[in-house]
Amino acid sequence: MRALLAGIEAGRGAAPITSCPYPSGDLRRSAWVRGFAKARALPTG
């Protein structure tokens, strides 16, 4: 849950997706990326 919330916070800010603090293969990385993607708005137009 913490990783998801941290990803949402990063997505709302100006952090790049590469700022994920979890290594590849860590389940928290998936949660962080889901949160990041959820918070980012898709470009329109």
Side-chain angles (χ1 to χ4, degrees), residues 15-34:
I17 188 101
T18 56
S19 67
C20 180
Y22 303 108
S24 180
D26 190 327
L27 293 178
R28 295 174 295 179
R29 182 179 184 95
S30 297
W32 190 94
V33 170
R34 279 195 312 274

